Amino acid sequence: MIKAGIFVTETLGNLIDILPEDAYPGEDPGEVVTEMAAGSIVPLVNRVGRKQCRETIELIDSVVESILRELSLAAEIAGRREKGYTV
């Protein structure tokens, strides 16, 4: 999941970066590329079905929430250590 997220982020980011400024006159290139990527996903969603997609989204959301909780806890512990507290 992490590798896939990095791949998508880097690939779309690189594509946006190399686009000429006039590639999509009057439109935000980031939004255009994101919409194109979303359009590529629609057939996959239709193939596996909405129920499985909802379950997958819930799993991804849970993973993100878990990582954010762990990062918050790590930041709190680091802050306490900087103040001289032992944890």
Side-chain angles (χ1 to χ4, degrees):
M1 186 180 315
I2 292 170
K3 285 182 183 180
I6 291 169
F7 170 78
V8 170
T9 301
E10 288 184 357
T11 301
L12 297 183
N14 290 337
L15 180 58
I16 292 166
D17 290 343
I18 65 170
L19 284 174
E21 289 186 28
D22 60 347
Y24 303 102
E27 297 185 72
D28 178 274
E31 290 180 20
V32 172
V33 170
T34 301
E35 287 177 25
M36 288 177 167
S40 297
I41 295 168
V42 170
L44 302 171
V45 171
N46 291 335
R47 187 171 63 213
V48 300
R50 294 190 180 275
K51 181 178 184 271
Q52 184 170 341
C53 285
R54 282 191 200 104
E55 290 170 354
T56 302
I57 290 168
E58 288 174 10
L59 172 62
I60 292 168
D61 286 344
S62 295
V63 168
V64 169
E65 289 172 13
S66 176
I67 290 171
L68 289 174
R69 275 193 309 272
E70 296 292 326
L71 289 173
S72 178
L73 181 59
E76 183 180 337
I77 290 169
R80 288 181 181 186
R81 285 184 176 157
E82 283 182 9
K83 293 177 183 175
Y85 294 103
T86 56
V87 182

